[in-house]
């Protein structure tokens, strides 16, 4: 399914002869707009990180799971004792003398017997097995790197068999897929590695660690990573490629409600400093969505991924105010918002300033920048944006703390563009939106983050940004939005709304659909942009609409190039409560013109297109069509909706009939 999007890009290059072009001057009649309108928002919800984008295949490899995260969880979650043949022993979770205070829990293996008797000549050894995230998916001929920290507590050197296997059921030796042997003789913690090459495809593999000698052995930080990850930086390739094909201009991370502790309070606030450095020294954390965050995907990896996809990083930091939804607080009068004392706010200010210096500073003069360099990135990440707060209620207490941190960060780093928040439910009449904008205007804030999720009728009808004042200094970032289903009509509603956003690209600087990912059988929220399991992805109708807009970014908007039959001459669609629309965008850097047309009605629509103002249009254009029935949707079993791209003769003046429930994009080279 995913290969169709790759073919579209290849077809574009082949038919339009794309190569490096000198920037051009925009023809008259255009309006300057943001060329960063389409980005992505990554939050670790629905197992988006561990078991998802982060390619680690072992679950609870650090033995840090605990009942705070989920009832019944503990160090042994996702592990099982194995003792093939006549082997004997027992497991003992411990927290004394661990690898690092941030990672205190480890597993001690007491091996009492590890041998065969006359009636058995199969596998032997005593140890543990991990089934990954509902099974470990491995592919034929692929290489995987096993690593773990071991400590030989007593007895002679330990021979340890590391085996990737396909379990065959109780009482049967597993089917061997790959194996290696490690000799452990160190009396202190030491990291050991081995390379495993699989000999066949298996959806439900498991990793076994079998000690072949008697004695006592400690183990921690067990890992199994595919060597084939996106650009070698630890991200699952197919998921990363799906994001790359969106051509996003920025990524907001790590949340979302994850930022300020969600439903759990300040103790569970996401603190970026505990997510960098060696992975065995990172502080793991309960996820506010009810599972565990290993922090294998931490701030260093987020920034590296932004660089790999040519996205601007947009980290979001807490600012001393909790989520008002803490422990059912959404239903309380005025909501349950906690704040830190003003006497403690300097800690939160330092958190922001230190992050900027970690990302952009000189390793020779700054200790945080040196940590970045020591991790493997001596050059700065060139951080441009920094978000403070995530949809907190804009109470007087919030305003006081936000102003405190905003003024100090801006004074220390005036070059950084601060993104504020407008609270939840960013519609006119909402007190949080009004108070958020009041604070933004008082501070001269560059960008404010608005959020809303609505049924598709809202996006079909509303044109919220047509009514926004044009003279505000503060721009809009629509940081979280989506129609509340994943049918084609929902995607077209979002597309129609984005056409109106492009028309208002002088007011709206950035947008990002949310949530981004959801794993099968581990989904906290619906709908989502991309669904996946351990083997595959499926891309929603909304994904393909986002892709069209991501691939057609530009610096100028032209509203008068397309007229729909039956409309008055001065009408620029989509107007309020009209279910069809258009936009024409010019990218002067790429010398490309994009015409996007959306028909979210049950009847055909005719668009009359005039591109005469664009000189030097090449002979071949690329036409991409997304169409179907209103209630069509993609799922794990079937993906009927996907874009179809074909080369067409480029015309400057022509009519085009749009099918019912369709979106069309035409791409021209100048």
């Amino acid at each position: 399914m995913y290969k169709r999007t790759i073919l579209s890009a290849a077809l574009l290059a082949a038919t339009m002869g794309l190569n490096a072009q000198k920037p051009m001057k925009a023809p008259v009649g255009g309006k300057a707009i943001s060329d960063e309108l389409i980005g992505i928002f990554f939050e670790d919800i629905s197992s988006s990180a561990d078991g998802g984008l982060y390619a680690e295949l072992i679950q609870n490899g650090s033995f840090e799971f605990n009942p705070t995260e989920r009832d019944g969880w503990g160090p042994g979650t996702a592990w099982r004792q194995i003792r093939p043949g006549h082997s004997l022993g027992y497991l003992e979770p411990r927290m004394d003398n661990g690898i690092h205070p941030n990672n205190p829990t480890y597993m001690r293996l007491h091996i009492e017997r590890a041998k065969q008797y006359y009636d058995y000549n199969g596998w032997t050894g005593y140890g543990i097995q991990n089934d990954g995230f509902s099974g470990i998916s491995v592919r034929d001929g692929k290489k995987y790197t096993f690593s773990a920290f071991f400590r030989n507590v007593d007895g002679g050197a330990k021979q340890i068999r590391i085996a990737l296997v396909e379990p065959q059921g109780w009482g049967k030796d597993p089917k061997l897929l790959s194996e290696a042997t490690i000799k452990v003789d160190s009396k202190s913690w030491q990291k050991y590695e081995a390379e495993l090459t699989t000999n066949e495809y298996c959806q439900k593999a498991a990793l076994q660690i079998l000690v072949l000698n008697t004695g006592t052995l400690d183990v921690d930080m067990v890992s199994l990573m595919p060597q084939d990850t996106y650009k070698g930086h630890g991200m699952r390739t197919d998921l990363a490629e799906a994001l790359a094909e969106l051509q996003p201009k920025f990524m907001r991370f790590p949340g979302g409600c994850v930022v300020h502790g969600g439903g759990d309070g300040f103790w569970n606030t996401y603190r970026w400093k505990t997510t960098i450095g060696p992975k065995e020294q990172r502080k793991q954390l309960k996820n506010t969505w009810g599972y565990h965050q290993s922090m294998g995907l931490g701030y260093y990896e987020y920034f590296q991924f932004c660089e790999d996809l040519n996205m601007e990083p947009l980290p979001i930091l807490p600012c001393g105010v909790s989520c008002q939804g803490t422990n059912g607080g959404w239903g309380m009068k005025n909501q349950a918002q906690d704040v830190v004392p003003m006497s403690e706010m300097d800690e939160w200010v330092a958190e922001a300033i230190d992050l900027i210096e970690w990302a952009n500073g000189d390793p020779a003069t700054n200790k945080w920048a040196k940590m970045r360099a020591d991790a493997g990135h001596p050059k700065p990440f060139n951080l441009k944006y920094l978000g403070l707060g995530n949809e907190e209620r804009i109470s007087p207490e919030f305003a006081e703390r936000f102003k405190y941190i905003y003024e100090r960060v801006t004074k220390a780093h005036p070059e950084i563009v601060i993104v504020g928040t407008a609270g939840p439910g960013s519609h006119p009449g909402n007190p949080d939106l009004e108070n958020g904008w009041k604070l933004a205007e008082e501070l001269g804030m560059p960008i404010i983050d608005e959020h809303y999720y609505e049924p598709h009728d809202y996006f079909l009808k509303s044109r919220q940004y047509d009514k926004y004042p044009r003279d505000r200094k503060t721009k809009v970032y629509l940081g979280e939005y989506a129609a509340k289903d994943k049918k084609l009509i929902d995607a077209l509603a979002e597309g129609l709304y984005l056409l109106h956003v492009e028309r208002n690209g002088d007011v709206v600087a950035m947008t990002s659909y949310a949530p981004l990912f959801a794993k099968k059988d581990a989904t906290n929220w619906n709908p989502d942009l991309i669904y996946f399991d351990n083997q595959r992805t499926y891309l929603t109708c909304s994904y393909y609409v986002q892709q069209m807009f991501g691939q057609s970014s530009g610096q100028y908007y032209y509203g008068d190039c397309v007229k729909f039959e039956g409309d008055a001459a001065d009408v620029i669609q989509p107007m309020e409560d009209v279910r069809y629309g258009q936009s024409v965008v010019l990218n002067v850097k790429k010398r490309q013109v994009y015409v996007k047309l959306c028909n979210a009605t049950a009847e055909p629509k005719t668009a009359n297109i005039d591109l005469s103002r664009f000189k030097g249009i090449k002979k071949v254009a690329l036409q991409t069509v997304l169409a179907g029935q209103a209630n069509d949707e993609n799922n794990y079993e079937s993906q009927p909706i996907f874009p179809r791209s074909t080369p067409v003769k480029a015309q400057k003046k022509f009519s085009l009939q749009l099918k019912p429930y369709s979106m069309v994009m035409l791409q021209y080279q100048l």
Side-chain angles (χ1 to χ4, degrees):
M1 181 61 200
Y2 173 65
K3 291 181 179 178
R4 294 186 178 108
T5 63
I6 298 175
L7 288 175
S8 298
L11 184 59
L12 173 65
T15 57
M16 300 180 69
L18 297 186
N19 48 45
Q21 301 275 345
K22 289 184 178 180
M24 61 176 287
K25 183 178 180 181
V28 296
K31 177 172 67 173
I33 65 170
S34 168
D35 59 2
E36 294 182 336
L37 273 175
I38 303 299
I40 56 176
F41 163 43
F42 183 91
E43 178 172 11
D44 188 0
I45 182 173
S46 303
S47 294
S48 297
D50 295 322
L53 181 62
Y54 181 50
E56 175 61 63
L57 296 171
I58 299 301
Q59 184 175 188
N60 194 20
S62 62
F63 307 100
E64 296 294 335
F65 282 29
N66 64 78
T68 300
E69 297 164 329
R70 189 170 295 178
D71 288 344
W73 273 17
T77 299
W79 292 96
R80 67 180 67 184
Q81 173 185 245
I82 52 173
R83 45 180 196 171
H86 299 284
S87 300
L88 295 174
Y90 67 97
L91 304 177
E92 181 188 5
R94 296 178 67 111
M95 298 183 70
D96 60 309
N97 195 20
I99 296 174
H100 190 272
N102 284 344
N103 175 33
T105 312
Y106 59 94
M107 191 66 72
R108 176 161 289 182
L109 281 62
H110 298 272
I111 306 94
E112 188 173 299
R113 181 201 294 167
K115 63 181 179 180
Q116 301 167 339
Y117 283 99
Y118 67 92
D119 63 341
Y120 177 78
N121 60 2
W123 287 43
T124 189
Y126 175 82
I128 51 178
Q129 174 177 307
N130 192 287
D131 296 326
F133 298 88
S134 300
I136 297 174
S137 179
V138 296
R139 301 189 178 277
D140 181 22
K142 294 293 184 180
K143 297 181 183 296
Y144 299 84
T145 299
F146 166 86
S147 66
F149 280 79
F150 291 112
R151 179 170 58 191
N152 185 20
V153 179
D154 63 22
K158 305 292 190 296
Q159 294 293 320
I160 302 176
R161 186 185 192 191
I162 310 300
L164 259 176
V165 302
E166 182 178 10
Q168 300 296 301
W170 187 86
K172 298 179 181 178
D173 284 342
K175 183 177 182 180
L176 183 63
L177 303 174
S178 184
E179 67 175 330
T181 302
I182 293 173
K183 180 182 178 181
V184 176
D185 53 10
S186 175
K187 299 295 184 180
S188 58
W189 286 112
Q190 183 173 322
K191 187 176 182 179
Y192 295 80
E193 293 188 353
E195 183 180 278
L196 300 171
T197 303
T198 51
N199 52 25
E200 62 181 87
Y201 172 68
C202 181
Q203 294 187 21
K204 293 281 189 178
L207 179 77
Q208 294 190 346
I209 301 174
L210 285 163
V211 187
L212 305 180
N213 317 91
T214 59
T216 304
L217 182 81
D218 292 336
V219 57
D220 201 358
M221 292 302 296
V222 181
S223 170
L224 184 69
M225 285 288 287
Q227 292 187 5
D228 180 17
T229 62
Y230 190 74
K231 296 192 176 182
H233 292 144
M235 302 299 141
R236 182 172 145 177
T237 303
D238 59 338
L239 296 183
E241 287 177 344
L243 296 183
E245 279 295 306
L246 291 170
Q247 295 188 23
K249 305 306 179 287
F250 65 89
M251 184 173 82
R252 172 181 174 232
F253 62 88
C257 292
V258 165
V259 167
H260 49 202
D264 294 292
F266 280 120
W267 69 268
N268 201 40
T269 300
Y270 195 105
R271 308 301 288 267
W272 72 268
K273 293 179 181 178
T274 63
T275 77
I276 62 172
K279 294 186 179 181
E280 66 273 13
Q281 297 180 15
R282 300 182 185 185
K283 187 175 182 180
Q284 306 190 26
L285 196 64
K286 177 189 175 182
N287 185 291
T288 193
W289 300 105
Y291 52 94
H292 184 84
Q293 297 176 92
S294 74
M295 298 303 176
L297 176 52
Y299 257 59
Y300 181 86
E301 289 76 20
Y302 281 127
F303 273 79
Q304 181 65 69
F305 190 56
C306 287
E307 186 173 272
D308 288 343
L309 264 66
N310 197 30
M311 304 181 290
E312 295 284 354
L314 174 49
I316 308 296
L317 295 183
C319 52
V321 181
S322 78
C323 176
Q324 57 270 15
T326 300
N327 196 20
W330 290 108
M332 297 176 64
K333 184 179 180 180
N334 296 326
Q335 301 177 348
Q337 189 179 62
D338 295 318
V339 297
V340 302
M342 287 301 298
S343 60
E344 297 178 10
M345 278 303 297
D346 285 344
E347 175 188 342
W348 303 82
V349 172
E351 190 98 344
I353 292 174
D354 291 345
L355 174 61
I356 296 167
E357 293 174 350
W358 174 83
N360 293 352
D362 182 354
T365 59
N366 184 274
K367 71 172 185 177
W368 295 105
K370 185 177 185 303
M371 290 182 68
R372 181 197 72 233
D374 290 346
H377 202 284
K379 294 183 178 179
F381 279 118
N382 299 317
L383 176 66
K384 173 182 174 182
Y385 296 109
L386 176 63
L388 297 174
N390 169 71
E391 69 172 33
E392 292 88 356
R393 184 168 64 92
I394 313 299
S395 62
E397 293 82 6
F398 172 85
E400 181 182 18
R401 283 152 184 79
F402 183 90
K403 185 176 180 180
Y404 187 90
I405 189 172
Y406 176 88
E407 290 176 343
R408 282 152 182 79
V409 173
T410 301
K411 182 178 180 180
H413 287 282
E415 77 281 7
I416 297 296
V417 178
I418 300 296
V419 179
T421 178
S426 304
H427 292 315
N430 185 313
D432 289 319
L433 179 67
E434 294 173 357
N435 291 334
W437 271 103
K438 182 180 178 181
L439 181 61
E441 291 176 330
E442 176 188 345
L443 295 174
M445 194 186 304
I447 304 176
I448 192 169
D449 183 5
E450 298 187 348
H451 295 176
Y452 42 89
Y453 300 91
E454 299 290 345
H456 64 246
D457 277 352
Y458 172 83
F459 295 99
L460 289 169
K461 295 177 180 179
S462 173
R463 304 293 173 252
Q464 180 164 324
Y465 298 114
D466 287 348
K467 303 179 180 67
Y468 272 41
R470 320 314 289 185
D471 58 352
R472 283 171 168 166
K473 176 181 178 181
T474 304
K475 303 299 183 183
V476 175
Y477 167 34
L478 179 51
E480 294 184 33
Y481 74 98
K484 291 185 175 181
D485 207 343
K486 50 183 181 291
K487 295 180 172 58
L488 178 60
I489 187 62
D490 301 286
L492 294 176
E494 293 157 359
L496 203 61
Y497 198 72
L498 284 174
L499 292 175
H500 129 266
V501 167
E502 279 190 327
R503 180 168 67 218
N504 291 281
D506 55 333
V507 170
V508 183
M510 310 161 85
T511 70
S512 52
Y513 180 104
L516 186 62
F517 284 124
K519 189 167 189 177
K520 187 177 183 180
D521 301 325
T523 298
N524 298 103
W525 187 286
N526 272 302
D528 304 275
L529 199 65
I530 300 168
Y531 290 80
F532 66 95
D533 59 21
N534 286 345
Q535 292 83 39
R536 58 193 173 138
T537 66
Y538 86 76
L539 309 176
T540 61
C541 304
S542 293
Y543 171 91
Y544 292 118
V545 168
Q546 292 289 319
Q547 185 183 62
M548 281 189 181
F549 281 87
Q551 293 177 348
S552 59
S553 65
Q555 300 81 29
Y556 292 90
Y557 167 86
Y558 294 83
D560 59 352
C561 294
V562 179
K563 299 295 180 183
F564 288 89
E565 286 193 1
D567 284 348
D570 61 343
V571 169
I572 299 175
Q573 299 292 7
M575 302 301 287
E576 190 167 87
D577 207 21
V578 174
R579 299 190 175 201
Y580 56 90
Q582 57 83 29
S583 76
V584 175
V585 171
L586 170 67
N587 190 313
V588 296
K589 299 175 184 177
K590 295 182 178 179
R591 302 181 68 96
Q592 290 181 358
V593 175
Y594 312 99
V595 179
K596 292 190 290 293
L597 310 162
C598 182
N599 180 15
T601 77
E603 302 296 329
K605 292 290 178 183
T606 300
N608 298 314
I609 302 168
D610 186 352
L611 303 176
S612 300
R613 60 162 49 95
F614 301 105
K615 307 303 180 184
I617 290 179
K618 305 301 181 185
K619 294 181 179 180
V620 178
L622 186 72
Q623 178 176 279
T624 302
V625 178
L626 189 71
Q629 300 300 312
N631 290 322
D632 286 347
E633 67 174 86
N634 295 338
N635 53 49
Y636 285 103
E637 288 68 42
S638 176
Q639 298 91 41
I641 302 299
F642 60 91
R644 293 167 170 83
S645 298
T646 55
V648 296
K649 180 181 178 181
Q651 303 176 74
K652 288 188 175 181
K653 203 169 184 179
F654 63 102
S655 295
L656 183 66
Q657 188 174 73
L658 300 178
K659 296 178 181 179
Y661 304 114
S662 68
M663 188 157 186
V664 176
M665 181 168 71
L666 295 160
Q667 303 177 59
Y668 299 85
Q669 188 71 43
L670 303 179

